[in-house]
Amino acid sequence: MKIFPKLWSNKTKDHNLFIKIKGLLGYMPKNKNVYIAAFTHRSMNIKNLDGKPQNFERLEYLGDSVLSTIVASFLFEVLPNADEGKLTRMKSKIVSREKLNFIGKQMGLLDLLVFSGKKDNLGDDVYGNLLEALIGAIFIDKGYETCKSILKEIFFKPYIEIKTLDKEVISYKSLLIEWSQKQKQNLVFETEADNGKDPSVNFYCKILVNNKVVTKSRDLSKKKAEEKAAKKAHRILKI
């Protein structure tokens, strides 16, 4: 049984999708249905001829695992003297949500998504999700070795700089907490729901050091509000 049977789809839209994918990847997809699924949002409620839901979520799961393996292999090859700890830290930075979101946005993947509603409401994580779904589609269509070669050209070469990667910060919140522990400073994150006028901003975070307010930030989620505030505090405190 095929993993991705024939879909009910619009031939004109599909053709445009394949042309854009060819521009991104350098080849015309062979298993076209898997790429259609990779850029279909669950809100479309599309089903294949077997009656099963067809969207990018399963491919996102697969792509996440494939990318993790390929990144681990890549680092193992390019950093022959790195120990397990450094390899793990470097891998975490490459596959971080922020990094994947950035790459997915730079690749323009949201333009390919079929979505029922305003794409502006999807949030930044959709870029990384689509990138993982695309990787899952490449893996199914081309196999592991070819997928690895393609990612070398469209992922590693343009977006991953090993020489500067070690200096990149994954989480300013973690960095701030580590600093406060080393310096024996009393650090407090006060985060609560924000019921302000802007419906897109749901959380408010205030950071205090030794009972003094250092900075404040608002954002869509608790995690993002805290990370934004921590980044500002990192700059203000000159850590």
Side-chain angles (χ1 to χ4, degrees):
M1 183 179 72
K2 295 181 180 180
I3 298 177
F4 287 88
K6 185 176 176 62
L7 303 177
W8 296 108
S9 55
N10 183 295
K11 291 184 178 180
T12 300
K13 287 183 178 179
D14 292 349
H15 178 73
N16 292 335
L17 172 65
F18 303 144
I19 293 299
K20 291 177 180 177
I21 289 175
K22 183 180 179 181
L24 280 173
L25 307 182
Y27 65 86
M28 185 62 76
K30 182 178 180 182
N31 185 344
K32 295 182 177 181
N33 288 325
V34 73
Y35 292 93
I36 295 174
F39 292 101
T40 298
H41 192 269
R42 67 187 304 178
S43 65
M44 297 301 295
N45 196 29
I46 292 178
K47 297 182 180 180
N48 59 31
L49 294 183
D50 290 343
K52 296 179 180 179
Q54 201 72 35
N55 57 63
F56 66 70
E57 293 175 3
R58 280 170 53 83
L59 284 167
E60 176 192 345
Y61 158 79
L62 177 62
D64 174 65
S65 297
V66 172
L67 178 62
S68 181
T69 301
I70 290 176
V71 168
S73 175
F74 169 78
L75 290 173
F76 191 82
E77 293 170 5
V78 301
L79 297 173
N81 298 319
D83 60 20
E84 180 186 3
K86 181 171 183 176
L87 290 172
T88 300
R89 289 193 299 273
M90 299 285 270
K91 177 173 173 285
S92 296
K93 292 182 178 184
I94 293 176
V95 300
S96 71
R97 183 50 45 186
E98 290 76 15
K99 175 72 77 175
L100 298 186
N101 288 347
F102 171 78
I103 295 174
K105 184 177 289 188
Q106 292 297 306
M107 292 175 69
L109 298 185
L110 189 59
D111 295 337
L112 308 183
L113 179 66
V114 179
F115 174 66
S116 177
K118 294 183 178 180
K119 294 182 180 180
D120 292 342
N121 297 331
L122 289 172
D124 287 343
D125 285 354
V126 69
Y127 293 101
N129 295 342
L130 289 174
L131 176 57
E132 290 172 333
L134 175 60
I135 293 170
I138 296 170
F139 173 72
I140 289 176
D141 188 32
K142 297 295 184 178
Y144 177 79
E145 290 300 330
T146 302
C147 181
K148 185 178 179 180
S149 298
I150 291 170
L151 288 186
K152 182 178 180 180
E153 297 301 320
I154 70 169
F155 184 88
F156 293 106
K157 282 187 178 181
Y159 300 111
I160 307 301
E161 179 54 64
I162 293 297
K163 292 181 180 179
T164 60
L165 188 64
D166 211 18
K167 298 179 182 179
E168 291 185 16
V169 177
I170 298 178
S171 170
Y172 281 93
K173 180 180 178 181
S174 297
L175 194 65
L176 195 59
I177 292 172
E178 182 180 347
W179 167 83
S180 69
Q181 292 172 344
K182 287 183 178 180
Q183 300 298 321
K184 298 182 179 179
Q185 303 291 310
N186 181 26
L187 173 69
V188 176
F189 284 80
E190 290 186 356
T191 310
E192 56 188 32
D194 186 343
N195 298 317
K197 295 181 179 179
D198 188 348
S200 67
V201 180
N202 301 322
F203 285 88
Y204 168 84
C205 177
K206 179 168 60 177
I207 293 179
L208 300 91
V209 175
N210 298 328
N211 298 319
K212 293 183 179 180
V213 177
V214 175
T215 188
K216 306 172 185 176
S217 281
R218 302 165 67 230
D219 214 312
L220 181 65
S221 68
K222 178 180 178 182
K223 180 180 178 180
K224 289 183 177 180
E226 291 180 343
E227 187 63 22
K228 182 185 289 186
K231 186 174 183 179
K232 290 168 66 176
H234 180 269
R235 184 180 65 253
I236 292 169
L237 296 169
K238 297 180 181 181
I239 299 174

